[in-house]
Amino acid sequence: DVKVTQSSRYLVKRTGEKVFLECVQDMDHENMFWYRQDPGLGLRLIYFSYDVKMKEKGDIPEGYSVSREKKERFSLILESASTNQTSMYLCASSPGRYTGGGYTFGSGTRLTVV
Amino acid sequence: ILNVEQSPQSLHVQEGDSTNFTCSFPSSNFYALHWYRWETAKSPEALFVMTLNGDEKKKGRISATLNTKEGYSYLYIKGSQPEDSATYLCAFAGGGNKLTFGTGTQLKVEL
């Protein structure tokens, strides 16, 4: 069964900590994405990558960075966590350069910053 | 930032009822429209990817239609069951690599 795996289901971090959220896919997909989901705001795109070492900003990149050193792994980094980054984070992947195919999502990481 | 709107925001129906939701999106620069189902504590699951004006897709009791000229899509559920309870998301692809999601319609099917 193909899947996208996120390393943690729940995380609690302190303000100012550097936080790494890891995502691994086993489908050989070119595209990978990081979204956050907040009540009433839907899924908002933080960053995405369409190839190894390539990254592009999404709609809300401030306070985040990403790393894609291998095709299967896409990491989201919170350089200095703040309470307004408390959210549900979803990783997704899709095949090919264009969005002709549906995304496959991970199960999400619920991050709480205290 | 593109505007993708879904209505209603939430919906309560009785088992056996048929229901439908709306997704509106920009009518220009259209590439694809996606529908996802997101059940609590699970990952969002792709239902349909629609690319052509007039497209109709069906999966069991769930179907969807697409009008790219006027910028809307409908999702229909026939004979709702409790297991249909979920948040239904639509997402617009205007070309390139990324989707813009609506805020979703939360469906609760009661016995």
Side-chain angles (χ1 to χ4, degrees):
Chain A
D1 191 21
V2 294
K3 60 184 178 182
V4 175
T5 303
Q6 293 183 231
S7 54
S8 304
R9 186 81 175 106
Y10 298 95
L11 271 180
V12 180
K13 297 291 181 181
R14 295 194 181 277
T15 301
E17 276 194 76
K18 190 169 185 175
V19 181
F20 293 85
L21 302 183
E22 306 288 345
C23 175
V24 177
Q25 52 97 1
D26 63 2
M27 296 163 284
D28 200 35
H29 282 173
E30 283 78 10
N31 304 323
M32 296 188 75
F33 309 85
W34 275 106
Y35 285 87
R36 64 178 280 178
Q37 194 261 346
D38 300 290
L41 295 177
L43 289 171
R44 292 181 293 165
L45 182 64
I46 305 170
Y47 267 97
F48 66 103
S49 167
Y50 56 85
D51 203 351
V52 175
K53 297 192 186 293
M54 303 298 289
K55 60 185 179 183
E56 289 194 29
K57 292 180 180 179
D59 298 320
I60 51 164
E62 296 78 18
Y64 303 94
S65 61
V66 290
S67 172
R68 194 167 181 199
E69 296 295 320
K70 294 185 178 181
K71 189 176 185 180
E72 67 271 18
R73 185 180 296 270
F74 192 36
S75 303
L76 180 69
I77 303 157
L78 286 66
E79 297 291 342
S80 177
S82 64
T83 54
N84 63 13
Q85 293 177 310
T86 292
S87 187
M88 168 70 88
Y89 290 87
L90 281 163
C91 176
S93 71
S94 74
R97 183 169 177 83
Y98 298 108
T99 51
Y103 286 14
T104 302
F105 281 89
S107 54
T109 296
R110 187 166 291 282
L111 173 68
T112 302
V113 182
V114 297
Chain B
I1 295 179
L2 298 171
N3 196 25
V4 179
E5 295 184 352
Q6 292 187 247
S7 63
Q9 188 173 358
S10 65
L11 196 54
H12 284 71
V13 301
Q14 298 294 312
E15 184 180 10
D17 286 351
S18 293
T19 187
N20 65 86
F21 330 129
T22 303
C23 172
S24 62
F25 51 86
S27 55
S28 59
N29 201 30
F30 176 87
Y31 186 80
L33 193 282
H34 296 213
W35 281 99
Y36 292 83
R37 174 170 58 202
W38 192 2
E39 295 177 68
T40 303
K42 294 187 178 180
S43 311
E45 172 197 2
L47 288 172
F48 305 115
V49 178
M50 307 172 78
T51 57
L52 297 175
N53 184 45
D55 245 357
E56 291 189 27
K57 300 257 185 179
K58 189 174 181 183
K59 188 175 184 177
R61 294 179 290 99
I62 304 176
S63 60
T65 61
L66 178 68
N67 183 324
T68 61
K69 295 186 188 306
E70 295 181 42
Y72 65 84
S73 176
Y74 295 135
L75 187 80
Y76 300 92
I77 302 179
K78 185 177 178 182
S80 302
Q81 299 296 311
E83 58 265 31
D84 295 328
S85 296
T87 297
Y88 291 83
L89 299 169
C90 72
F92 170 80
N97 297 318
K98 60 179 188 175
L99 294 177
T100 300
F101 283 83
T103 54
T105 293
Q106 191 171 13
L107 174 67
K108 173 85 171 170
V109 182
E110 295 163 343
L111 294 169

